[in-house]
Amino acid sequence: MAHDLVFYTNPMSRGRIVRWMLEELGQPYHTELLSYGTTMKAPEYLAINPMGKVPAIVHRGTIVTEAAAICTYLAELFPEAGLIPPSGDPLRGTFYRWMFYAAGPIEAAITNKSQGFVAAEGKSGMLGYGSFEHVMTTLDGLLSGREFIVGDKFSAADVYLGSQIGFGLQFGSIEKRPSFEKYWAGISARPAAVKARAIDDGLIAASKK
């Protein structure tokens, strides 16, 4: 049976971000579960994503990889879900700004810190994010006193950037600042977020039996 929207994932991956996005949309989708080192590196999947990693989606023949790109694509594909400001709305630019900030500086800063990477003395200016501390301070300023990233409405930017904060708080890769904890507590309680976590946690539990 052909499916309009196919989601390739592993429940212990960034695919959890896209699962949440899909549940927010409320649209039908088919899940293909892949395993690290085996089906994720098989020729069939490498034809979809040569990087051999998840998540990825295929929508009517169109392949989209990278969680931020997938969330943005889906938000634009299903505007009725209200997960991206309308085209022409000034907030659309704000959406892109913070979505790409999350995919670029935040992602790089957290990854480098977790791997123990430190720029050579006097060379931090060559990094796209400058320093981990600068990124965290910028993020703190964004979230202080705010419920959502873009305006006063939940969006796909909250799914993506919010997931990074959630992962960071869970695994200790970011500081437990009050603004981060309050923001995450709010968005992580959304019904779609709860449902998505239950699905993936259930898949993890089933794989251990």
Side-chain angles (χ1 to χ4, degrees), residues 19-20 23-25 189-197:
R19 172 82 70 186
W20 179 7
E23 291 302 324
E24 289 284 354
L25 292 172
R190 291 177 62 83
V194 173
K195 181 180 178 182
R197 287 196 300 273

Side-chain angles (χ1 to χ4, degrees), residues 16 192-204:
R16 295 177 73 97
V194 173
K195 181 180 178 182
R197 287 196 300 273
I199 293 172
D200 281 326
D201 289 347
L203 290 170
I204 292 171

